Amino acid sequence: MKVRMINMEEYPLSKSAFDKLVTKTGKHLNEINIENVMMGNVKPDDIKISKEVLLMQGKIAERYGKHQMKENFTRASELTDVPDKKILEIYESLRPFRATKEELINLAYELRDKYNAINCANLILEAAEVYEKRNILRT
């Protein structure tokens, strides 16, 4: 199987798609500069990646046969709407012996229902099944 390289002309997106790139809060990249930081015009959420940029990167990956990478970008895009505290909770719960199957299922439903993170929810549901088979759930 021949591995296709991603067309480097499309990277970095800051050059090939500069006009389309905005942060999570909608700031354009040219607004993220030292002057605005020093004036207090750039907040921590202003430098977080946007859902749209992650989906753009996923489209590029898929175009070059990198389906798994595209799926990773899709899940990451879903997590842009999830609070950092919840992401850390999920991360901790996915470590072996940290959660019961029911807790993982509840996390998945919360991601699906509250944040519309369907792909992430499906991944956690799949993890719950695998963890059960491997006997690495908390009892």
Side-chain angles (χ1 to χ4, degrees), residues 17-50:
F18 186 79
D19 57 322
K20 297 177 185 175
L21 299 181
V22 294
T23 67
K24 181 179 178 178
T25 60
K27 283 199 186 289
H28 193 271
L29 288 188
N30 65 2
E31 296 176 77
I32 309 296
N33 56 49
I34 193 68
E35 182 180 324
N36 280 333
V37 170
M38 297 302 290
M39 291 175 49
N41 297 331
V42 177
K43 307 292 183 226
D45 278 351
D46 293 331
I47 60 171
K48 290 183 178 182
I49 196 164
S50 70

Side-chain angles (χ1 to χ4, degrees), residues 103-121:
E103 289 169 336
L104 290 176
I105 290 169
N106 288 338
L107 270 176
Y109 289 163
E110 180 181 3
L111 282 174
R112 182 194 68 194
D113 299 340
K114 188 171 183 179
Y115 302 105
N116 198 33
I118 296 175
N119 294 290
C120 291

Side-chain angles (χ1 to χ4, degrees), residues 73-132:
F73 281 124
T74 299
R75 284 190 298 274
S77 76
E78 292 178 346
L79 292 176
T80 61
D81 293 330
V82 178
D84 293 344
K85 184 176 179 180
K86 178 55 70 175
I87 290 174
L88 291 173
E89 178 187 328
I90 293 165
Y91 173 79
E92 182 66 24
S93 295
L94 287 170
R95 295 177 66 200
F97 306 106
R98 300 300 169 104
T100 65
K101 185 175 183 182
E102 181 180 2
E103 289 169 336
L104 290 176
I105 290 169
N106 288 338
L107 270 176
Y109 289 163
E110 180 181 3
L111 282 174
R112 182 194 68 194
D113 299 340
K114 188 171 183 179
Y115 302 105
N116 198 33
I118 296 175
N119 294 290
C120 291
N122 289 338
L123 184 69
I124 292 175
L125 291 173
E126 183 180 329
E129 294 299 320
V130 171
Y131 285 22
E132 183 175 51

